[in-house]
Amino acid sequence: MKNNAFCYKLITWYESNKRELPFRNTTDSYKIWLSEIILQQTRVAQGLSYYERFVKKFPTVGDLAAQSEETILKEWQGLGYYSRARNLHHTAKYVVENYQSIFPTSYTELIKLKGIGDYTASAISSFSSKEVRPVLDGNVYRFIARLYGVETPINTPKSVKEFKLILEELIDKDKPDIFNQAIIEFGALHCVPSSPSCDSCIFQESCFAFSKKRVNEFPVKLKKKKSIERYVNFMAIQQKEGVWLVKRTADAIWKNLYEFPNLESEQMYTSEQHNELDKIGVKISRVAMPIKHVLSHQNIYAKLFICEPTKDFTPEVDWVFVPNIQFRNYPIHRLMEKMMESELKGEINF
Ligand code: SF4
């Protein structure tokens, strides 16, 4: 299909089918950046309230930069992938210090910022200043792979170049912002992963996958490696109206978030192995039902022990005692939230 006809059809479809989303009505690159970071790996329905809260509490990049990292992590709580929040804060401070608090709008400046990759830089630069930069997210990959029958697996580096070449041909050079919004929206609402609406599709006649009855075969993906299984035994050690927490410092997903002190084991602890906790000087008063928490490349099986300290209790140096009433001020990760919700509601002021 010629690109003019493609753009006309796509944009016409978009104008009458798009969702009304607050970050689509702005050209403020700071707000667009916030929305893009919040919506990475997050559904719009879940991310929307976070976006609205961030914009209200931190209306400018300077307001965001002035917060402590702990405040940002607390605001982010529940969204997961906390490195996004840490990068958000780092980048806000960087923009204040190096760009006089004016959030960049050009791809070449944006791509230099921490937490901003090709997709986000293309999205922000096209939405805020109409730079002709095609966006390539999961929705676009799926739609283009089906439309053109692209067999290259989309989770390989080589696919980026191939799909970008197609999009560079297609993109509306006068309205790159609307084109990008429209193509993402078409993948998100119409050419969806399972049971796309092919019968009512405006591109049906030119769609390779539809004509070959191979819609479910696209996009092609290489099989992922098997997830690692981990077994973690958490201890809610309650003492004098408070509980012990530890801050995660390892450079991994939950860095700088708090959790109960814990021991990792090869397998889920059986009741005979519970005396492993005696070595720490705690007495188990209750054991909660194990919880499975699924991350992108690991499954964590968490067992929560509600414990009391004995006379031999010696906390590790990096443990902090947190009075119940202050507990809510400490940013915690999603698995901690799950354990608290199912087992400790009411016992700690959460
Ligand atoms: Fe997607 Fe079906 Fe339309 Fe092809 S015909 S673009 S597979 S919705």
Side-chain angles (χ1 to χ4, degrees), residues 37-38 50 53-54 57-58 64-90 93 246-250 252-259 327-334 337 350:
I37 304 297
I38 289 171
Y50 283 82
R53 207 170 58 239
F54 266 77
K57 286 196 167 177
F58 318 119
L64 187 67
Q67 307 304 313
S68 68
E69 186 181 277
E70 206 138 297
T71 303
I72 304 297
L73 289 171
K74 191 67 199 164
E75 289 297 332
W76 195 267
Q77 195 167 303
L79 265 182
Y81 298 95
Y82 288 84
S83 56
R84 289 183 292 166
R86 285 188 289 270
N87 288 341
L88 198 75
H89 190 226
H90 174 98
K93 288 197 292 186
V246 60
K247 187 175 186 174
R248 291 179 67 95
T249 50
I253 49 161
W254 290 332
K255 188 179 173 193
N256 294 347
L257 298 178
Y258 288 83
E259 62 186 6
F327 190 87
R328 65 175 68 235
N329 300 333
Y330 286 73
I332 57 175
H333 52 69
R334 181 68 192 125
E337 277 179 15
F350 172 52

Side-chain angles (χ1 to χ4, degrees), residues 142-143 146-147 186 190-192 196-199 201-205 207-210 215:
R142 182 171 57 253
F143 171 43
R146 287 171 173 168
L147 190 65
F186 192 81
H190 198 95
C191 192
V192 293
S197 311
C198 299
D199 289 341
C201 182
I202 49 173
F203 298 109
Q204 190 197 78
E205 278 174 23
C207 179
F208 175 90
F210 181 80
V215 171

Side-chain angles (χ1 to χ4, degrees), residues 170-223:
L170 289 177
I171 194 166
D172 187 321
K173 312 287 186 292
D174 297 325
K175 301 176 191 165
D177 49 342
I178 300 175
F179 175 92
N180 279 343
Q181 297 280 17
I183 198 163
I184 295 170
E185 195 79 333
F186 192 81
L189 300 184
H190 198 95
C191 192
V192 293
S194 54
S195 311
S197 311
C198 299
D199 289 341
S200 60
C201 182
I202 49 173
F203 298 109
Q204 190 197 78
E205 278 174 23
S206 50
C207 179
F208 175 90
F210 181 80
S211 69
K212 304 286 179 206
K213 298 191 171 45
R214 292 180 58 200
V215 171
N216 294 334
E217 292 173 36
F218 293 98
V220 178
K221 282 186 193 164
L222 283 186
K223 283 218 164 51

Side-chain angles (χ1 to χ4, degrees), residues 32 47 65 78 112 124 154 173 212 237 266 273 292 310 332:
I32 297 168
K112 294 177 193 162
I124 302 172
I154 60 166
K173 312 287 186 292
K212 304 286 179 206
I237 307 167
E266 299 261 306
Q273 289 168 309
K292 181 179 177 186
T310 66
I332 57 175

